Amino acid sequence: MPGNTFGTLFRITTWGESHGKGVGVVIDGCPPRMPLTEKMIQSMLDRRRPGKFPASTTRMEPDQAMILSGVFEGMTTGTPIMIMVKNKDAKSGAYSPYASLYRPGHGDFSYVAKYGIRDWRGGGRASARETVARVAAGAVAGAILENHGISVIAYTLELGGIRAETTDLALINQNMFMCPDRKAAEKMVLHVEKIKQQGDSLGGVVEIVASGVPSGLGNPVFDKLDAELAKAVMSIGAVKGVEIGAGFQAARMLGSQNNDPIVPDGFLSNNAGGVLAGISNGDKIVVRAAVKPIPSIAIEQKTINTERKPETICVKGRHDISAIPRINVVCEAMVSLVLADQLLQQKAIEKS
Amino acid sequence: MPGNTFGTLFRITTWGESHGKGVGVVIDGCPPRMPLTEKMIQSMLDRRRPGKFPASTTRMEPDQAMILSGVFEGMTTGTPIMIMVKNKDAKSGAYSPYASLYRPGHGDFSYVAKYGIRDWRGGGRASARETVARVAAGAVAGAILENHGISVIAYTLELGGIRAETTDLALINQNMFMCPDRKAAEKMVLHVEKIKQQGDSLGGVVEIVASGVPSGLGNPVFDKLDAELAKAVMSIGAVKGVEIGAGFQAARMLGSQNNDPIVPDGFLSNNAGGVLAGISNGDKIVVRAAVKPIPSIAIEQKTINTERKPETICVKGRHDISAIPRINVVCEAMVSLVLADQLLQQKAIEKS
Amino acid sequence: MPGNTFGTLFRITTWGESHGKGVGVVIDGCPPRMPLTEKMIQSMLDRRRPGKFPASTTRMEPDQAMILSGVFEGMTTGTPIMIMVKNKDAKSGAYSPYASLYRPGHGDFSYVAKYGIRDWRGGGRASARETVARVAAGAVAGAILENHGISVIAYTLELGGIRAETTDLALINQNMFMCPDRKAAEKMVLHVEKIKQQGDSLGGVVEIVASGVPSGLGNPVFDKLDAELAKAVMSIGAVKGVEIGAGFQAARMLGSQNNDPIVPDGFLSNNAGGVLAGISNGDKIVVRAAVKPIPSIAIEQKTINTERKPETICVKGRHDISAIPRINVVCEAMVSLVLADQLLQQKAIEKS
Amino acid sequence: MPGNTFGTLFRITTWGESHGKGVGVVIDGCPPRMPLTEKMIQSMLDRRRPGKFPASTTRMEPDQAMILSGVFEGMTTGTPIMIMVKNKDAKSGAYSPYASLYRPGHGDFSYVAKYGIRDWRGGGRASARETVARVAAGAVAGAILENHGISVIAYTLELGGIRAETTDLALINQNMFMCPDRKAAEKMVLHVEKIKQQGDSLGGVVEIVASGVPSGLGNPVFDKLDAELAKAVMSIGAVKGVEIGAGFQAARMLGSQNNDPIVPDGFLSNNAGGVLAGISNGDKIVVRAAVKPIPSIAIEQKTINTERKPETICVKGRHDISAIPRINVVCEAMVSLVLADQLLQQKAIEKS
């Protein structure tokens, strides 16, 4: 597969480069007769906008969502929904010094290895700008989930090694880093400021929780629900690790500790993260994503140019210090896309 | 998708239950004119056989691979290769006490939630026996990779919290746990013995390394090489987490630490785990899998029966203490399947 | 795609060569809790057996269906159903004279062009024996359809230029050629006998009718119901043309003749063949397949050998004179497979 | 699958309604480093423009192709190519009388059956306007084929029962109907004029020929080259039948007539239409499509309204009399899309 399509029955195809004319997504398989407006998509897109957070770039990206097909008189028709966001603030000139250099930690080198050509303006297709399309599609998936009583929320569990000790979801929208722990959030502010002055960048861990997921979603063997979630979340550029439930901690537990005891009302613990043998068990789905530090740093690094000669590089410009918290809504979108697709798939085999 | 097919151009479909008549795999898309014998498959299957390791069940599973199609006079023909392994030692009676109980940590509960029915004999389709088919297919994928100078190896990085400090690959086949650290391996033996006597079980971490992978494999956006690897490895029943390169550790690094400097000969470090922007960069591919403890334990646990009434359960029988090290070859197979498929996909877009 | 998988939610993968160890099919996505026995499959397989018809080979092909997975205590479990039929009467020696020749009208030449190798024993994968697996899967699809009140029937509309003028379905099982017109059937007997003595072979037209299909099945644009049916039927080796409803005759009608007037009870005619804009309209689905004459004939033909030198060939052996009527049940199976898949797909988008 | 995606390695996804904001296509998997301009796409789009032919509507559809992604400095980059055409002349008011009526021969009835809702403006997604996206994609596929020495041409074999007796390809662009027979073309002009005055419409047969196709393209069993072509062509709204090579005529031939004799230079005849056992044999690929008459006619017809009450309808407006010849380039595009995809697939299994 060429790589830009995701999902089976609820299926999206994205397109667009960082400094091209725009980015967008075609959503195919959205159930018909569902209210859908540009406003619903816009409110999710606004959550990934830069400029609101100290860790974020100061570039203006208004990201106006336009629905170009698939909606008639405010309702989905069952036909492809095309959502487009024009690129506005696209100063590709700022990237021209890097046209002949491979930036460490970026896809410059590997894209040339694959395609023998690259659109060097701002990372081209490998830019985080690509996630605009994921989030727009995630808003539509979220609307389907909401109709089925399912909600998905992502928050910052860890940033630059500072970990939330509490999970007070009410706090998420009250601090800069979408962190569910007030004290941790305060430490994060100070730490980010310090690293920013060093010209360096930070990584962290995002936790995504889906509530209200019915038992029975997912497929056996290769297309397990957790396998689909792992692919979905790992497909986000900055993610280098994915866990379900107890995750890597499960590797250090005894069976008697890790097994979730079953009682008539459900499970007494949730080390499984809501997934048993690849199929949802009715408990909360819990996923964690390891997010690497932003590779664009204002510190000199060794690299090579397109002639394979050694060079040094120091990436200046308006870059985020961390993909967190802007990446959180992208994680939320990817989990929503998987769940919406699985929901439709499960309907197909249920007794009618 | 119903879940039992994996891959695009090199594509496998598996079938079979733990206590049915057999398990098998149809491999579609194997390049033609490649030597293939039952012996080549058998030698990989033998590596997942129980009975060799203290952590393993004492059941006899001879697992004789039979090639039923797709090979003519010792050569692949390009048509589907069906490999079947008959089930021999299938005492389903041993499982009948659990026919009306949902075993904690197993798929019993979620399979019934999905399908409204389950084959309770030994876990049915959700049994680890299903991985026989993955390993048989992995042997064929491995043969393709070998023709391209690629090798894949999996070993035990951690078992029951004991972690290998060295990575001496020569040691892997010299100890019970396929551990590349002699001292750690010795500690593992003692620890496993102790846990065994408690009737409990252990988890661990498997590391899989692919060497010789050319740069340029993988696809952008959703079908990134690391996303495919994450799905492949997470689809193994016992796996609850997957990392690429520095993985979760990358979340705690600074950008200046995590970025791999580029020099004319390649990269000075490999925090990326051989994948940049979803495409291989020519360095070693490094994947880690978190393996949960075997859920079948001889310790009493709370559960419910199929009438949703509370019960207790204590799973006796010849069960492994840990999925490690038998799961290692399964991890190796899944990584091989991804790489073989990506190799064929990349040939399609290269200049002829 | 490597070519041996068909369907999306109800998905089959077939394997096996004419003179290998057997042929079979993995059915993935069959709804759970459906009664399924080997007998149900056998009765459909028996309808493609040779030896019953004057146009057919006298080879014995008992074709015993064995279900090796996916069924527990007589019910489908939702997991892959593997059905295997062993090859018994496999005298590959009879084909050895053709090992170095490309038989005209067969796949010998094109398989070598594609794969650089071929299993020359009886056509290998390109043999009509491959259709055993389609028919076995079609029996399972048929059982799903029956549960939804849908029936599919195929009959001989034309053989060797002799066309049925009536469509009395009661007659189909009362004559050698499954022809719904007694007089035409009688003429066919005489004509087949004459052509047989000439060592030549015949083609014909099969009509397939599906009744009870609800309106709303199919998908817009590329995956139209008629497009899926066309692919399904054209994928049968001997088929060179496919029509829906009025088909090629529609090309000669005026719009006022071809349009089916709509009344409250349905449609006054069925030139559409039950499909409008790619979606079923509730009327009967009518498909016709053009079947070419069997290419193996006992008449000398020009060909080349594997060294590209000119030769002549005269194919002797126990070959059918016509793929009809044995192919009829294969056509029925392919239409059933499409409809079962579409039925499941449609459930996914319906309001729950 | 939701239906709006076509192809495996060269894969397109289309979107857009007749009277929405535009129509477009995302092309994923186009090989990199290929020159591509809007002009190349425009020249193919111009061939489906109305207004040039007596059989065509007089509506203005300028159909300006805009490339919004995937091309950098005039070269493809390997990432998704989004091509959009804005809708300009969209007087949806002209369709409002039909908002509550199901037009015979159109998808109005079946779309409501499927989705419970329809965009009634000009047929919405079921409009022939959707084919703009196919043709744009076909232009890109055609550029790939050209690089491999393959050309695809479509012409009018039959219109309103008048059949071309000669196949002089030089004539195609010299007459109104793209007919390779001057005399037949003249008769067509008179016949179309007559039918136009009656307010009725006409069907016909399009023949598509691909030259220069290497042997070895296609896949066995279900994804045969002719099966893919049948699906591709049948997926065009107005097509009701598809033939390969001798097609339905093969059903009336003897084996000795239909088999194409093989000589060292190739085949002495081409009843196979260039495809043997689903794989190209190096000869010309010949496909024919049966095109039904345009269903919108200015003659009163019986129908029902959305309340299922009987009505009569008489469709006025600027409609084509026949989908031919504007559909020809759509047929050409669909055949090109199949061949480009198969070409890439074949590269994947060839020895590197």
Side-chain angles (χ1 to χ4, degrees):
Chain A
M1 306 289 182
N4 300 281
T5 293
F6 187 79
T8 298
L9 294 186
F10 185 83
R11 158 183 283 203
I12 70 169
T13 300
T14 70
W15 58 273
E17 281 85 31
S18 173
H19 287 64
K21 294 191 179 151
V23 293
V25 60
V26 182
I27 301 167
D28 201 7
C30 184
R33 302 188 307 284
M34 207 175 84
L36 188 70
T37 62
E38 290 177 349
K39 205 180 240 177
M40 288 162 71
I41 293 153
Q42 195 63 46
S43 71
M44 194 151 170
L45 277 184
D46 288 345
R47 291 171 49 205
R48 79 169 281 292
R49 282 185 62 183
K52 296 165 55 181
F53 312 113
S56 300
T57 159
T58 54
R59 273 178 299 164
M60 280 299 296
E61 299 185 43
D63 288 351
Q64 286 285 348
M66 295 181 293
I67 298 177
L68 299 187
S69 68
V71 177
F72 181 57
E73 299 179 340
M75 302 285 271
T76 60
T77 60
T79 58
I81 300 165
M82 160 70 169
I83 304 171
M84 179 175 170
V85 174
K86 287 189 184 167
N87 288 339
K88 288 196 179 149
D89 176 24
K91 298 183 186 161
S92 62
Y95 288 91
S96 53
Y98 313 126
S100 61
L101 290 181
Y102 297 131
R103 294 167 300 161
H106 278 283
D108 303 346
F109 180 88
S110 54
Y111 263 63
V112 169
K114 181 169 194 71
Y115 297 118
I117 185 175
R118 78 184 160 108
D119 179 347
W120 48 262
R121 301 167 304 166
R125 183 71 181 145
S127 164
R129 177 119 190 106
E130 161 264 312
T131 61
V132 167
R134 301 184 188 228
V135 172
V140 180
I144 298 173
L145 296 180
E146 206 183 306
N147 293 343
H148 287 79
I150 301 171
S151 64
V152 181
I153 182 93
Y155 45 83
T156 304
L157 190 68
E158 203 178 307
L159 182 65
I162 300 161
R163 193 175 180 102
E165 301 295 329
T166 63
T167 314
D168 184 347
L169 299 187
L171 294 175
I172 295 175
N173 289 315
Q174 294 178 17
N175 66 75
M176 290 292 180
F177 296 108
M178 306 191 70
C179 178
D181 174 341
R182 199 186 313 266
K183 284 191 186 163
E186 286 166 8
K187 285 187 206 164
M188 288 172 186
V189 174
L190 297 175
H191 192 54
V192 162
E193 199 48 48
K194 187 182 114 195
I195 298 301
K196 198 175 195 169
Q197 284 170 8
Q198 295 172 5
D200 217 329
S201 63
L202 290 172
V205 178
V206 177
E207 187 162 87
I208 311 108
V209 177
S211 309
V213 179
S215 60
L217 299 198
N219 287 299
V221 188
F222 301 114
D223 298 342
K224 288 187 166 80
L225 181 56
D226 37 358
E228 297 288 2
L229 289 167
K231 177 175 174 177
V233 172
M234 192 73 100
S235 79
I236 303 169
V239 175
K240 298 300 283 183
V242 185
E243 296 184 317
I244 309 287
F248 276 85
Q249 209 44 47
R252 285 128 208 170
M253 289 179 178
L254 296 174
S256 57
Q257 297 166 324
N258 183 62
N259 282 349
D260 301 311
I262 319 179
V263 293
D265 284 349
F267 296 85
L268 290 182
S269 55
N270 190 15
N271 290 316
V275 185
L276 278 171
I279 297 169
S280 65
N281 65 10
D283 214 331
K284 286 185 182 179
I285 308 281
V286 181
V287 182
R288 273 180 301 283
V291 178
K292 74 173 187 180
I294 294 274
S296 293
I297 55 174
I299 292 175
E300 202 173 80
Q301 303 168 83
K302 283 188 185 169
T303 192
I304 58 174
N305 62 23
T306 51
E307 310 290 312
R308 295 226 160 206
K309 295 276 181 290
E311 297 262 7
T312 58
I313 188 169
C314 177
V315 185
K316 292 194 171 136
R318 300 156 302 168
H319 294 286
D320 290 356
I321 295 289
S322 174
I324 291 173
R326 289 178 66 198
I327 204 174
N328 296 16
V329 69
V330 182
C331 293
E332 207 176 293
M334 292 311 299
V335 168
S336 297
L337 288 168
V338 170
L339 293 176
D341 192 15
Q342 295 296 334
L343 205 62
L344 299 185
Q345 288 188 43
Q346 180 60 6
K347 284 176 66 180
I349 66 160
E350 279 169 0
K351 274 263 163 71
S352 55
Chain B
M1 306 290 182
N4 300 281
T5 292
F6 187 79
T8 296
L9 294 186
F10 185 82
R11 158 183 283 203
I12 69 168
T13 300
T14 70
W15 58 272
E17 280 85 31
S18 173
H19 287 65
K21 294 190 180 152
V23 293
V25 60
V26 183
I27 301 167
D28 201 7
C30 184
R33 302 188 308 283
M34 207 175 83
L36 188 70
T37 62
E38 290 177 348
K39 206 180 238 177
M40 289 161 72
I41 294 152
Q42 196 63 47
S43 72
M44 193 151 171
L45 277 183
D46 288 345
R47 290 171 50 206
R48 78 168 284 290
R49 281 184 62 183
K52 296 166 56 181
F53 312 113
S56 301
T57 158
T58 54
R59 273 177 299 164
M60 280 298 296
E61 300 186 40
D63 288 352
Q64 287 285 348
M66 295 181 293
I67 298 176
L68 300 187
S69 69
V71 176
F72 181 57
E73 299 177 341
M75 301 286 271
T76 60
T77 60
T79 57
I81 301 166
M82 160 70 170
I83 304 170
M84 180 176 169
V85 174
K86 287 190 185 168
N87 288 339
K88 288 197 180 147
D89 177 23
K91 297 185 186 160
S92 61
Y95 288 91
S96 54
Y98 314 125
S100 62
L101 289 180
Y102 297 131
R103 293 168 300 161
H106 278 283
D108 303 346
F109 179 88
S110 55
Y111 262 63
V112 169
K114 181 169 195 70
Y115 297 118
I117 184 175
R118 78 183 160 107
D119 179 346
W120 48 260
R121 301 167 304 167
R125 183 72 180 143
S127 164
R129 176 119 191 106
E130 161 263 312
T131 60
V132 167
R134 301 184 188 228
V135 172
V140 180
I144 297 172
L145 296 180
E146 206 183 308
N147 293 343
H148 287 80
I150 301 170
S151 65
V152 182
I153 182 92
Y155 46 83
T156 304
L157 189 68
E158 203 179 306
L159 181 66
I162 300 161
R163 192 175 181 102
E165 302 295 330
T166 63
T167 312
D168 183 348
L169 299 188
L171 294 176
I172 294 175
N173 289 314
Q174 293 178 18
N175 65 75
M176 291 292 180
F177 297 108
M178 306 190 68
C179 178
D181 174 339
R182 198 187 313 267
K183 283 191 187 162
E186 285 166 9
K187 284 187 207 163
M188 287 173 188
V189 174
L190 297 175
H191 192 53
V192 162
E193 199 47 49
K194 188 182 114 195
I195 298 301
K196 197 175 196 168
Q197 283 169 9
Q198 295 172 6
D200 218 330
S201 64
L202 290 171
V205 178
V206 177
E207 188 162 85
I208 311 107
V209 177
S211 309
V213 178
S215 60
L217 298 198
N219 287 298
V221 188
F222 301 113
D223 298 342
K224 286 188 166 81
L225 181 56
D226 37 358
E228 298 288 2
L229 289 167
K231 177 176 175 177
V233 172
M234 192 71 100
S235 79
I236 304 169
V239 174
K240 299 300 284 184
V242 185
E243 295 184 318
I244 308 288
F248 276 84
Q249 208 45 46
R252 284 129 209 169
M253 290 178 176
L254 295 174
S256 57
Q257 297 166 323
N258 183 62
N259 282 350
D260 301 311
I262 319 180
V263 293
D265 285 347
F267 297 85
L268 290 182
S269 55
N270 190 15
N271 290 316
V275 185
L276 278 171
I279 297 169
S280 65
N281 65 9
D283 214 330
K284 285 186 183 179
I285 307 281
V286 181
V287 182
R288 274 180 301 283
V291 178
K292 74 173 187 180
I294 294 273
S296 294
I297 55 174
I299 292 175
E300 202 174 80
Q301 303 168 82
K302 283 188 186 169
T303 192
I304 57 173
N305 62 24
T306 51
E307 310 290 312
R308 295 226 160 207
K309 295 277 181 287
E311 296 262 6
T312 58
I313 189 170
C314 177
V315 185
K316 291 190 172 139
R318 301 156 303 169
H319 294 286
D320 289 356
I321 296 288
S322 174
I324 292 173
R326 290 178 66 198
I327 204 174
N328 297 16
V329 70
V330 182
C331 294
E332 207 176 294
M334 293 311 299
V335 169
S336 298
L337 289 167
V338 169
L339 293 176
D341 193 15
Q342 296 295 333
L343 205 62
L344 299 184
Q345 288 187 42
Q346 180 61 6
K347 284 175 66 181
I349 65 161
E350 279 169 359
K351 274 264 164 70
S352 54
Chain C
M1 307 288 183
N4 300 281
T5 292
F6 188 80
T8 297
L9 294 186
F10 185 83
R11 158 182 284 203
I12 70 168
T13 300
T14 70
W15 58 272
E17 280 86 31
S18 173
H19 287 66
K21 293 190 181 152
V23 293
V25 60
V26 182
I27 301 167
D28 201 6
C30 184
R33 302 188 307 284
M34 208 175 84
L36 188 70
T37 63
E38 290 176 349
K39 205 179 239 178
M40 289 162 71
I41 293 152
Q42 196 63 47
S43 72
M44 193 151 172
L45 277 184
D46 288 346
R47 290 171 50 206
R48 78 167 284 291
R49 282 184 61 183
K52 296 166 55 182
F53 313 113
S56 301
T57 158
T58 54
R59 272 179 299 165
M60 280 298 298
E61 299 186 41
D63 288 351
Q64 286 286 348
M66 295 182 293
I67 298 177
L68 299 187
S69 69
V71 177
F72 181 56
E73 299 178 341
M75 302 285 272
T76 59
T77 60
T79 57
I81 301 165
M82 160 69 170
I83 305 170
M84 179 176 170
V85 174
K86 287 189 185 168
N87 289 338
K88 288 196 180 149
D89 176 23
K91 296 184 188 163
S92 61
Y95 289 91
S96 54
Y98 313 126
S100 62
L101 290 180
Y102 297 131
R103 294 167 299 160
H106 278 282
D108 303 346
F109 179 88
S110 55
Y111 263 63
V112 170
K114 181 170 195 70
Y115 296 118
I117 184 175
R118 79 183 159 107
D119 179 346
W120 47 261
R121 302 166 303 167
R125 182 73 181 144
S127 164
R129 176 118 190 107
E130 161 264 311
T131 61
V132 167
R134 302 183 188 228
V135 172
V140 180
I144 297 173
L145 296 180
E146 206 184 307
N147 293 342
H148 287 80
I150 302 169
S151 65
V152 182
I153 182 93
Y155 45 83
T156 304
L157 189 68
E158 204 179 307
L159 183 65
I162 300 161
R163 193 175 180 104
E165 302 295 329
T166 64
T167 313
D168 183 347
L169 299 188
L171 294 175
I172 294 174
N173 289 314
Q174 293 177 19
N175 65 75
M176 291 292 181
F177 297 108
M178 306 192 69
C179 178
D181 175 339
R182 199 186 314 267
K183 283 191 187 163
E186 284 165 9
K187 286 186 204 163
M188 288 172 186
V189 174
L190 297 174
H191 192 53
V192 162
E193 199 49 48
K194 186 181 116 196
I195 299 301
K196 196 175 196 168
Q197 284 170 9
Q198 295 172 6
D200 217 330
S201 64
L202 290 172
V205 178
V206 177
E207 188 162 88
I208 311 108
V209 177
S211 309
V213 178
S215 59
L217 299 198
N219 288 299
V221 188
F222 301 113
D223 299 342
K224 287 187 166 80
L225 180 56
D226 37 358
E228 297 289 1
L229 289 167
K231 176 175 174 177
V233 172
M234 192 72 100
S235 80
I236 304 169
V239 174
K240 298 300 283 183
V242 185
E243 296 184 317
I244 308 288
F248 276 85
Q249 208 46 45
R252 285 127 207 170
M253 289 178 176
L254 296 174
S256 57
Q257 298 166 323
N258 183 61
N259 282 349
D260 301 312
I262 319 179
V263 293
D265 284 348
F267 296 84
L268 291 182
S269 56
N270 190 15
N271 290 316
V275 186
L276 279 171
I279 297 170
S280 65
N281 65 10
D283 214 331
K284 286 185 183 179
I285 308 281
V286 181
V287 182
R288 273 180 302 283
V291 177
K292 74 174 186 179
I294 293 275
S296 294
I297 54 175
I299 292 175
E300 202 173 83
Q301 303 168 83
K302 283 187 185 169
T303 191
I304 58 173
N305 62 24
T306 51
E307 310 290 311
R308 295 225 160 208
K309 295 276 181 290
E311 297 262 6
T312 59
I313 187 168
C314 178
V315 185
K316 288 185 175 144
R318 301 156 303 169
H319 294 286
D320 290 356
I321 295 289
S322 173
I324 291 173
R326 290 178 66 197
I327 205 175
N328 296 17
V329 70
V330 182
C331 293
E332 208 177 293
M334 292 312 298
V335 169
S336 297
L337 289 167
V338 169
L339 293 175
D341 193 16
Q342 295 296 333
L343 205 62
L344 298 185
Q345 288 188 42
Q346 181 61 6
K347 284 176 66 182
I349 65 161
E350 280 170 358
K351 273 265 163 70
S352 55
Chain D
M1 306 289 184
N4 300 281
T5 293
F6 187 78
T8 297
L9 295 186
F10 185 83
R11 157 183 284 203
I12 70 168
T13 300
T14 70
W15 58 272
E17 280 85 32
S18 172
H19 287 65
K21 294 190 179 152
V23 293
V25 61
V26 183
I27 301 167
D28 202 6
C30 183
R33 301 188 308 284
M34 207 176 85
L36 188 70
T37 62
E38 290 177 349
K39 206 179 238 177
M40 289 161 72
I41 293 152
Q42 195 64 46
S43 71
M44 192 151 171
L45 276 183
D46 288 346
R47 290 171 51 207
R48 77 168 284 290
R49 281 185 62 182
K52 297 165 55 181
F53 311 114
S56 300
T57 159
T58 54
R59 273 177 299 164
M60 281 298 297
E61 299 186 40
D63 289 349
Q64 286 287 347
M66 295 182 293
I67 298 177
L68 299 188
S69 69
V71 176
F72 181 57
E73 299 178 341
M75 301 285 272
T76 60
T77 60
T79 58
I81 301 165
M82 161 71 170
I83 304 170
M84 180 175 169
V85 174
K86 287 190 185 167
N87 288 338
K88 288 195 180 151
D89 177 24
K91 297 184 186 163
S92 63
Y95 289 90
S96 54
Y98 314 126
S100 61
L101 290 181
Y102 296 132
R103 293 167 300 162
H106 278 282
D108 303 345
F109 180 88
S110 55
Y111 262 62
V112 170
K114 181 170 194 70
Y115 296 119
I117 184 175
R118 79 185 158 106
D119 179 346
W120 48 261
R121 301 167 303 168
R125 183 72 179 144
S127 164
R129 176 119 190 106
E130 160 265 311
T131 61
V132 167
R134 301 184 188 228
V135 172
V140 180
I144 297 173
L145 296 180
E146 207 183 307
N147 293 342
H148 287 80
I150 301 170
S151 64
V152 182
I153 182 93
Y155 46 82
T156 304
L157 190 68
E158 204 180 306
L159 182 65
I162 300 161
R163 193 175 180 103
E165 301 296 328
T166 64
T167 313
D168 183 348
L169 299 188
L171 295 174
I172 295 175
N173 288 315
Q174 293 178 18
N175 65 76
M176 290 293 180
F177 296 108
M178 306 191 69
C179 178
D181 175 340
R182 198 186 314 265
K183 283 191 187 163
E186 285 165 8
K187 286 187 205 163
M188 288 173 187
V189 174
L190 298 175
H191 192 53
V192 162
E193 199 48 49
K194 187 182 115 194
I195 298 300
K196 197 175 195 167
Q197 284 169 9
Q198 294 173 7
D200 217 331
S201 63
L202 290 171
V205 178
V206 177
E207 188 162 88
I208 312 108
V209 177
S211 309
V213 179
S215 59
L217 299 199
N219 287 300
V221 187
F222 301 114
D223 299 342
K224 287 187 166 81
L225 180 56
D226 37 358
E228 298 288 2
L229 289 167
K231 177 176 174 176
V233 172
M234 191 72 101
S235 79
I236 303 169
V239 175
K240 298 300 283 183
V242 185
E243 295 184 317
I244 308 287
F248 276 85
Q249 208 46 45
R252 285 129 208 168
M253 289 178 176
L254 296 174
S256 57
Q257 297 166 323
N258 184 62
N259 283 348
D260 300 313
I262 320 180
V263 293
D265 284 348
F267 297 84
L268 290 182
S269 55
N270 191 14
N271 290 315
V275 185
L276 278 171
I279 297 169
S280 65
N281 66 9
D283 214 330
K284 285 186 182 179
I285 308 280
V286 181
V287 182
R288 274 181 301 282
V291 178
K292 73 174 187 179
I294 294 273
S296 294
I297 55 175
I299 293 174
E300 202 174 81
Q301 302 169 81
K302 283 188 185 167
T303 192
I304 58 173
N305 62 23
T306 52
E307 310 289 312
R308 294 226 160 207
K309 295 275 181 290
E311 296 262 7
T312 58
I313 189 169
C314 178
V315 185
K316 290 185 174 144
R318 301 156 303 168
H319 294 285
D320 289 356
I321 297 288
S322 173
I324 291 173
R326 290 179 65 199
I327 204 173
N328 296 17
V329 70
V330 182
C331 293
E332 208 175 293
M334 292 311 299
V335 169
S336 297
L337 289 167
V338 169
L339 293 175
D341 193 16
Q342 295 296 333
L343 205 61
L344 299 185
Q345 287 187 43
Q346 181 61 6
K347 284 176 66 181
I349 65 162
E350 279 169 358
K351 273 265 162 70
S352 56

